[in-house]
Amino acid sequence: MKKHHYLYILLVFFTTSCGKDFLNRLPQDQLSTSGSLATVNELRLYMNQFYEQLPNHPNFTGGEGIAFDDARTDNMIFTTVNPRLNGQLTISNAIALTEYNQIRGLNFFLNQAKDAKGNQTEINQYLGEAYFFRAWFYFSLVKKYGDVSWVNTLLNSEDESTFLQRDSRLVVVDSILQDLDRASELLAIQTNNNSMRVHRDVAFAMTSRVALYEGTWQKYHQAKGTGFASSAVTAQKINAYLTQARDAAKKVIDAGRWQISSTGNPLADYKNMFNNTDLRGNKEVLLFRRYNPAENIGHGVSKYLSSGGGDIGLTLSLVDDYLTRDGKPFVGAVREQAQKNYGQELQPTIRDPRLFQTAGVAGQPLRPGGVVPPFPPINQSGFNRNTTGYPMYKYIEYDNIAATTDDGMSAAPVIYFRYAEVLLNYAEAVVELDGDVSLATQALTPLRTRVGMPAMDIELEYNAQAEYAFRTLSKALQAVRRERRVEMVAEGTRLDDIMRWAAADVLLVGKRPLGALFVGSDLASQNTAAGFYNDALLYFDTAPAGKSVNFFLNGQPNDAKRYIDPYKQVMPNGYGFKVNRDYLLPIQQRMLELTNGKWKQNPNW
């Protein structure tokens, strides 16, 4: 790994002053003695701050956070159109590269901690955490901006190298992977997650995540000619990344310390992992964040979702991607029949039971004393509204009255790494490398077994429908991508997948996200004075005198089948994602000026 002394004017970005002394300031920490990192306890206290920088769950509907991140993809939507997906971002939307604040703090730690006194194994643990977190924050930068400057030393404000250009993302990703190699050598081996700290298998899992991301990013952006593949990348380099992803995941698998969590209840085991407020001891979860509302450490997910609405909804695209109970694509007569009666298509007798545990189905517990209603609140407003007719159910603490009624009282955990992702990474890397498909399908069998689904059969579950976005992929690759989508819903991975697969052209561009079937199902019959929607009737196409259209369906008034079409009016031509621009975010103009023009704006901004 090259040691570059690069571009720390980035740090000036986060202050109101550009004084030269800023670069010499010590990072903020939790120590009483400034600059002291002399003991193991001080190392631990200092590193604690970086755990706090990991993603949270959102506090309110529409907010940033893991549970709602998929509402900025093709899996779920809010009422408001996402500006990035719609190609509406501008340079004025560019944000500060705050990850560099954390990186400087980690560089400070790595510079100082080498002189700490105490048990060397414990010192190594915190050094390993520092390498892991530096990799984490750099990976965040690469995903958002592509080429960035790799800085792994503390800089002096007089250093002229603060005006050097960006490094190729290949250099940065290679450096990230080397940091993770160091982390895996230093971090302790753990057989459980009780410490809630990074450990060796987390480093391997992160390696598989980063290497798979970069290998597929380079492969598919190069193949599609988007302009976002690195000019120097070769087929050998791409395969090296994919091989590293496969091998890192295999290390976790072969170690045998983790397994898919199951009690033998296929209708509950999946969902229970996401509403169980304390995952310590769970053998699937490698690293998670625990909340404690009693100490004012909570979030708002259960409150907003337990309305049955939350101003959020799963998309028809996602719901359709779950296989039938016997492992076939949900197409043709089976789909036609199931959609006639609302909620039938979500039932675990017909579909992969993960759908029943992800979407709200009538009769499921929603809060103490309340259940999911027979029809979705598509006629409501604010956070009570469901946007698509498919409520989000994952994460709801339905047996906790405080969590479902009060702000900041949800305690459902954030899972950062779980064994399921490791298996999915391994399977995808194997297929991408044209390896033995049976190794991939065998690796994913535990995910199917947990929910009572048959093992993966790439012939049986291949979807060749003309409207299916991934119909042109190999049968094996289509299968592992589908498995990833349905297993990892609302866990913060879908946008990354779309970006690294360069798949916006087939998943987003010119498409509008649809919801449940309305005309052609019994939902339409509920839109009467005697029906479920009697308190707030839905008006589409035209409205009676004194009323206005408040609901949208696709198709034409005389069509026999019409689906909920939330963005029909505001986005008539579908998402306007610009494939020559929006795969990366813009950089603030002030940032470019501070580098004396050495940093160049991302393409087509």
Side-chain angles (χ1 to χ4, degrees):
M1 178 171 51
K2 297 179 181 179
K3 289 191 174 183
H4 301 294
H5 303 276
Y6 278 19
L7 206 61
Y8 243 85
I9 49 161
L10 287 162
L11 294 168
V12 182
F13 221 28
F14 317 128
T15 69
T16 57
S17 169
C18 295
K20 290 184 177 180
D21 64 332
F22 179 76
L23 292 176
N24 292 322
R25 294 179 187 174
L26 292 177
Q28 294 297 308
D29 55 57
Q30 301 178 31
L31 304 177
S32 58
T33 304
S34 178
S36 176
L37 286 171
T39 68
V40 168
N41 188 54
E42 289 177 331
L43 300 184
R44 179 181 61 83
L45 287 173
Y46 188 92
M47 287 308 303
N48 284 350
Q49 66 184 298
F50 300 102
Y51 286 90
E52 293 302 311
Q53 300 303 314
L54 293 174
N56 280 288
H57 278 322
N59 289 319
F60 52 88
T61 189
E64 299 284 342
I66 292 293
F68 294 166
D69 273 356
D70 274 10
R72 300 167 180 90
T73 73
D74 61 338
N75 279 354
M76 304 189 299
I77 61 168
F78 294 122
T79 295
T80 304
V81 176
N82 180 264
R84 184 179 187 184
L85 300 193
N86 202 26
Q88 293 175 316
L89 291 182
T90 66
I91 290 179
S92 65
N93 299 120
I95 61 174
L97 283 66
T98 55
E99 290 89 349
Y100 273 110
N101 278 338
Q102 311 307 325
I103 291 166
R104 184 177 194 278
L106 291 159
N107 287 342
F108 169 81
F109 178 91
L110 289 167
N111 184 64
Q112 298 292 113
K114 62 182 182 294
D115 298 322
K117 305 299 182 184
N119 183 287
Q120 191 60 47
T121 299
E122 293 182 83
I123 293 171
N124 286 347
Q125 168 66 25
Y126 300 118
L127 288 170
E129 290 182 18
Y131 284 116
F132 172 85
F133 279 111
R134 189 166 69 179
W136 176 282
F137 292 117
Y138 266 117
F139 186 45
S140 175
L141 284 170
V142 168
K143 288 190 294 181
K144 289 189 283 190
Y145 303 106
D147 298 350
V148 294
S149 292
W150 176 263
V151 187
N152 62 358
T153 61
L154 286 171
L155 301 181
N156 185 292
S157 61
E158 302 300 326
D159 192 337
E160 66 180 9
S161 63
T162 56
F163 297 102
L164 294 184
Q165 61 192 8
R166 299 156 77 179
D167 288 314
S168 163
R169 63 182 294 148
L170 296 176
V171 170
V172 179
V173 170
D174 286 349
S175 300
I176 289 170
L177 292 170
Q178 289 192 36
D179 265 5
L180 290 170
D181 285 344
R182 292 180 179 180
S184 66
E185 294 169 358
L186 293 164
L187 290 166
I189 295 174
Q190 291 182 189
T191 57
N192 59 60
N193 61 17
N194 292 350
S195 71
M196 289 185 285
R197 301 194 79 91
V198 174
H199 51 83
R200 184 169 298 178
D201 289 330
V202 171
F204 288 142
M206 181 68 172
T207 296
S208 75
R209 182 185 291 181
V210 172
L212 181 64
Y213 187 99
E214 193 61 17
T216 51
W217 173 282
Q218 298 289 351
K219 178 176 181 177
Y220 290 103
H221 283 279
Q222 184 182 72
K224 291 190 174 185
T226 64
F228 293 106
S230 299
S231 59
V233 76
T234 62
Q236 291 75 18
K237 184 64 173 175
I238 290 170
N239 283 344
Y241 283 135
L242 295 171
T243 300
Q244 194 165 358
R246 179 198 64 192
D247 293 349
K250 190 70 160 48
K251 289 177 182 178
V252 180
I253 296 168
D254 289 347
R257 291 184 280 266
W258 309 92
Q259 63 190 41
I260 295 302
S261 176
S262 175
T263 68
N265 186 346
L267 298 187
D269 284 337
Y270 176 79
K271 71 176 180 181
N272 286 347
M273 187 162 42
F274 302 99
N275 60 29
N276 184 342
T277 58
D278 188 358
L279 290 172
R280 287 178 296 182
N282 186 298
K283 297 298 289 183
E284 180 171 347
V285 178
L286 279 67
L287 184 69
F288 74 103
R289 179 190 292 272
R290 187 184 182 198
Y291 290 89
N292 185 358
E295 297 182 0
N296 296 317
I297 305 172
H299 56 83
V301 171
S302 289
K303 174 184 175 178
Y304 293 101
L305 292 183
S306 66
S307 69
D311 191 40
I312 201 169
L314 307 180
T315 63
L316 177 67
S317 166
L318 172 64
V319 170
D320 277 350
D321 227 359
Y322 289 81
L323 297 173
T324 61
R325 187 64 184 75
D326 55 358
K328 299 176 183 177
F330 184 59
V331 297
V334 173
R335 182 174 182 267
E336 293 274 340
Q337 185 62 35
Q339 287 184 342
K340 290 180 180 179
N341 294 301
Y342 175 76
Q344 188 70 17
E345 65 187 305
L346 309 177
Q347 294 292 342
T349 53
I350 297 176
R351 308 293 298 284
D352 181 333
R354 282 173 291 193
L355 178 55
F356 172 77
Q357 298 171 73
T358 301
V361 178
Q364 288 176 305
L366 198 56
R367 68 183 75 85
V371 298
V372 177
F375 300 100
I378 51 179
N379 65 334
Q380 299 301 306
S381 60
F383 73 78
N384 291 311
R385 179 174 184 260
N386 176 257
T387 57
T388 64
Y390 297 123
M392 167 78 162
Y393 195 69
K394 193 171 178 176
Y395 294 111
I396 298 177
E397 300 158 64
Y398 49 78
D399 58 356
N400 184 333
I401 187 65
T404 56
T405 57
D406 298 331
D407 285 315
M409 295 301 289
S410 295
V414 174
I415 300 174
Y416 298 117
F417 293 93
R418 61 184 179 102
Y419 189 54
E421 185 197 350
V422 173
L423 297 177
L424 289 162
N425 291 351
Y426 173 77
E428 186 177 342
V430 166
V431 172
E432 288 285 4
L433 287 164
D434 297 322
D436 184 347
V437 173
S438 69
L439 295 177
T441 58
Q442 181 182 357
L444 299 179
T445 295
L447 304 184
R448 298 289 186 91
T449 300
R450 166 166 50 199
V451 294
M453 283 287 286
M456 181 177 287
D457 182 334
I458 64 172
E459 297 291 336
L460 184 66
E461 59 195 67
Y462 178 64
N463 191 338
Q465 297 289 304
E467 64 273 16
Y468 191 64
F470 290 150
R471 66 189 177 280
T472 61
L473 297 179
S474 72
K475 294 176 181 179
L477 190 55
Q478 185 192 99
V480 297
R481 286 191 181 183
R482 179 193 298 110
E483 191 71 14
R484 184 179 192 89
R485 186 182 193 184
V486 304
E487 177 69 26
M488 301 294 290
V489 172
E491 295 182 54
T493 62
R494 183 61 176 177
L495 183 62
D496 285 352
D497 290 342
I498 294 171
M499 297 300 166
R500 68 187 177 89
W501 294 333
D505 59 335
V506 294
L507 296 178
L508 300 175
V509 177
K511 298 182 182 299
R512 289 198 308 268
L514 300 179
L517 183 66
F518 190 83
V519 172
S521 82
D522 58 352
L523 274 181
S525 67
Q526 297 300 316
N527 192 37
T528 67
F532 184 79
Y533 300 119
N534 64 78
D535 61 331
L537 293 177
L538 298 161
Y539 303 111
F540 49 93
D541 298 332
T542 61
K547 303 293 183 179
S548 58
V549 171
N550 60 6
F551 189 64
F552 298 95
L553 302 177
N554 75 336
Q556 301 300 319
N558 293 325
D559 290 349
K561 294 179 62 176
R562 301 181 70 186
Y563 292 86
I564 297 171
D565 192 351
Y567 293 164
K568 184 174 185 176
Q569 183 182 44
V570 297
M571 205 173 69
N573 297 318
Y575 282 123
F577 186 97
K578 297 176 174 62
V579 294
N580 67 341
R581 189 194 74 169
D582 292 329
Y583 280 112
L584 294 178
L585 294 175
I587 299 166
Q588 286 186 345
Q589 187 61 34
R590 184 182 173 210
M591 168 70 211
L592 305 180
E593 294 168 357
L594 288 170
T595 62
N596 285 352
K598 294 295 184 180
W599 271 48
K600 304 298 182 183
Q601 184 58 267
N602 276 332
N604 298 309
W605 285 101

